[in-house]
């Protein structure tokens, strides 16, 4: 009797867990192929400041700077701010040599003598952005942009209603452990974020490329020290009445760590930041009347609540078996779990989904235990 009750509750939770995102996905699909309901100006070339925060990026910094120079964008409109937080691997020596070889580039270097984290460094850099700047782009040191990234960001930001634009991410390493997870995860996420953006705005930005109207960032008073350094300001701009969108034609390639341990550590940290971001946004979502409210509401649910339904359902199914162990083989709980296990092994999308749910739960636990996370170890194997 008890095991049947547990089974029924588990079934209902499981059903809700899968049905809500599925319904949302089907709803979004109709947006994915629509045209943009915004004004795109291909010829817009705003005064631009690119901020590159670094902590021990000796392996990547030169390639990052070269990549920026290769952008198909007028160099005289570019200002570059490098903000380094006491790297001890010679990052700044490499950068300074590069700057000497490129005297025509307008580069400011900020040396912090203590590492206080990326958010602190970004705010430091933001206080040095030229008044002329119209577009501020924040980027990680360990990524590669396609040549037209800046140009494409500018063409969307030309629309007065758009306040922030982020990239679509494509993982670099196509083979190796975890790479297939990355690819599936990215394909799925790119589709969802772009569809949300077409419908109005999306609440998630990607650190390798986030561009903002300078005035929108100024209104926020900089980057908050709670939440995520990329998604939180991006979402706050949307809550202020502008649109924050992910563009399909800002291509960014991101290194994927080579080994499972680093890859897991990195995903857990990112999940931690995402949970912290949505926990903060959950307190704000009531205050907006923008069409963004519904999207943000669903995403808060999908990140903070929905994974817990899956976890609870699994715990109940296992408990159902434990309380009626002698009849295990005849219990629907047992066969539901078996079916789940088989699907996990054979079905890549299903596996990616389940892993993502557990990463979010892990991120949530980490957030509850550690609170805001301002400093983290750079992942070596994503930089080789
Ligand atoms: N100045 C400065 N000071 N820069 C830092 C610091 C710091 O204390 N910590 C990290 N950075 C820089 C790194 O050098 C890199 O350029 C960028 O911030 C992102 O850090 P990664 O270590 O590469 O993190 P990731 O690959 O997981 O990045 C993603 O998640 C982060 C949050 O967990 C990105 O989307 C980041 O933008 C995001 O900050
Ligand atoms: Mn990185």
């Amino acid at each position: 009797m008890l095991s049947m009750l547990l089974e029924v509750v588990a079934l209902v939770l499981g059903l809700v867990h899968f049905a809500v995102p599925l319904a949302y996905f089907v709803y979004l699909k109709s947006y994915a192929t629509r045209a943009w309901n915004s004004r795109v100006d291909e010829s817009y070339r705003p005064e631009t400041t690119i901020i590159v925060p670094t902590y021990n990026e000796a392996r990547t910094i030169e390639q990052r700077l070269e990549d920026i120079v290769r952008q198909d964008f007028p160099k005289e409109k570019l200002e570059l701010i490098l903000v380094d937080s006491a790297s001890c691997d010679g990052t700044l020596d490499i950068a300074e040599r590069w700057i000497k070889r490129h005297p025509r580039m307008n580069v400011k270097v900020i040396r912090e003598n203590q590492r206080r984290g990326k958010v602190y460094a970004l705010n430091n850099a933001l206080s040095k952005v030229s008044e002329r700047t119209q577009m501020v782009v924040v980027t990680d040191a360990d990524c590669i942009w396609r040549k037209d990234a800046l140009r494409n960001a500018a063409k969307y930001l030309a629309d007065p209603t758009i306040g922030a634009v982020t990239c679509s991410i494509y993982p670099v390493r196509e083979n190796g452990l975890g790479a297939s997870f990355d690819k599936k995860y990215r394909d799925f996420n790119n589709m969802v974020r772009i569809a949300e953006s077409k419908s109005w705005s999306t609440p998630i930005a990607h650190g390798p490329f986030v561009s903002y109207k300078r005035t929108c960032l100024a209104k926020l008073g900089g980057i908050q020290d709670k939440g995520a350094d990329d998604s939180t300001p991006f979402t706050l701009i949307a809550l202020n009445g502008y649109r924050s969108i992910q563009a399909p034609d800002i291509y960014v390639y991101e290194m994927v760590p080579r080994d499972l341990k680093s890859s897991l550590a990195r995903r857990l940290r990112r999940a931690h930041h995402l949970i912290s971001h949505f926990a903060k946004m959950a307190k704000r979502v009531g205050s907006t009347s923008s069409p963004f409210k519904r999207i943000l509401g669903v995403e808060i649910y999908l990140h903070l609540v929905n994974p817990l339904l899956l976890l609870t359902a699994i715990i109940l199914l296992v408990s159902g078996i434990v309380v009626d162990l002698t009849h295990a083989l005849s219990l629907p709980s047992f066969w539901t779990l078996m079916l789940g296990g088989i699907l996990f092994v054979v079905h890549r999308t299903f596996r990616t989904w389940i892993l993502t749910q557990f990463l979010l739960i892990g991120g949530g636990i980490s957030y509850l235990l550690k609170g805001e996370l301002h400093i983290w170890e750079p992942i070596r194997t994503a930089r080789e």
Side-chain angles (χ1 to χ4, degrees), residues 140 142-143 169 171-173 178 182 186 208 254-273 359 373 376-383:
D140 293 349
D142 59 334
C143 61
I169 296 202
V172 170
R173 203 160 284 140
D182 273 295
R186 287 300 177 196
E254 188 190 41
M255 271 69 124
V256 176
R258 281 178 196 280
D259 61 304
L260 210 55
K261 194 171 152 232
S262 313
S263 155
L264 191 69
R266 183 165 84 153
R267 290 203 190 103
L268 263 176
R269 166 174 41 80
R270 290 181 175 181
H272 178 130
H273 278 129
L359 280 172
L373 188 68
W376 59 88
E377 270 314 299
I379 306 261
R380 288 273 137 254
T381 61
R383 290 171 167 75

Side-chain angles (χ1 to χ4, degrees), residues 114-163:
Q114 189 192 338
R115 184 182 186 201
R116 295 189 186 86
K118 184 181 170 192
V119 168
Y120 184 92
L122 288 182
N123 282 323
N124 200 346
L126 282 173
S127 70
K128 306 285 190 303
V129 170
S130 149
E131 283 290 318
R132 282 203 332 247
T133 289
Q134 293 156 298
M135 168 163 95
V136 176
V137 184
V138 179
T139 177
D140 293 349
D142 59 334
C143 61
I144 300 162
W145 300 347
R146 203 172 78 173
K147 246 176 93 172
D148 52 358
L150 280 178
R151 213 152 42 89
N152 286 340
K155 80 179 181 195
Y156 292 103
L157 274 184
D159 184 321
T161 66
I162 294 183

Side-chain angles (χ1 to χ4, degrees), residues 129-348:
V129 170
S130 149
E131 283 290 318
R132 282 203 332 247
T133 289
Q134 293 156 298
M135 168 163 95
V136 176
V137 184
V138 179
T139 177
D140 293 349
D142 59 334
C143 61
I144 300 162
W145 300 347
R146 203 172 78 173
K147 246 176 93 172
D148 52 358
L150 280 178
R151 213 152 42 89
N152 286 340
K155 80 179 181 195
Y156 292 103
L157 274 184
D159 184 321
T161 66
I162 294 183
V165 183
T166 192
C167 60
S168 292
I169 296 202
Y170 303 89
V172 170
R173 203 160 284 140
E174 289 292 332
N175 48 25
L177 281 175
S180 102
F181 173 92
D182 273 295
K183 187 166 178 339
K184 258 282 174 244
Y185 176 83
R186 287 300 177 196
D187 289 350
F188 176 77
N189 267 284
N190 285 338
M191 180 265 155
V192 170
R193 302 294 152 239
I194 291 165
E196 288 177 335
S197 304
K198 284 186 173 173
S199 100
W200 190 254
S201 286
T202 185
I204 292 185
H206 311 298
F209 190 110
V210 199
S211 55
Y212 304 94
K213 281 209 169 91
R214 185 179 61 85
T215 48
C216 287
L217 265 185
K219 223 182 263 175
L220 295 183
I223 310 239
Q224 296 64 36
D225 62 355
K226 287 200 177 83
D229 58 71
D230 41 16
S231 298
T232 304
F234 190 77
T235 302
L236 287 174
I237 286 173
L239 287 175
N240 277 348
Y242 291 85
R243 289 176 65 188
S244 293
I245 63 165
Q246 173 171 330
D249 50 357
I250 304 179
Y251 287 81
V252 168
Y253 305 95
E254 188 190 41
M255 271 69 124
V256 176
R258 281 178 196 280
D259 61 304
L260 210 55
K261 194 171 152 232
S262 313
S263 155
L264 191 69
R266 183 165 84 153
R267 290 203 190 103
L268 263 176
R269 166 174 41 80
R270 290 181 175 181
H272 178 130
H273 278 129
L274 263 189
I275 296 290
S276 158
H277 165 58
F278 281 113
K280 183 155 192 267
M281 292 308 115
K283 294 185 194 134
R284 299 274 200 129
V285 65
S287 67
T288 182
S289 54
S290 126
F292 181 48
K293 190 171 189 158
R294 260 191 322 187
I295 299 171
L296 183 58
V298 175
E299 289 294 353
I300 290 170
Y301 166 82
L302 289 178
H303 285 83
L304 299 185
V305 182
N306 206 44
L308 296 175
L309 302 190
L310 177 73
L311 180 69
T312 314
I314 294 175
I315 293 174
L316 292 179
L317 288 178
V318 174
S319 317
I321 300 172
V322 172
V323 295
D324 204 358
L325 211 50
T326 44
H327 304 108
L329 285 181
S330 62
L331 293 175
S333 294
F334 179 80
W335 293 108
T336 310
L337 281 177
M338 286 301 273
L339 181 71
I342 294 169
L343 268 179
F344 185 85
V345 174
V346 301
H347 200 281
R348 201 160 77 152

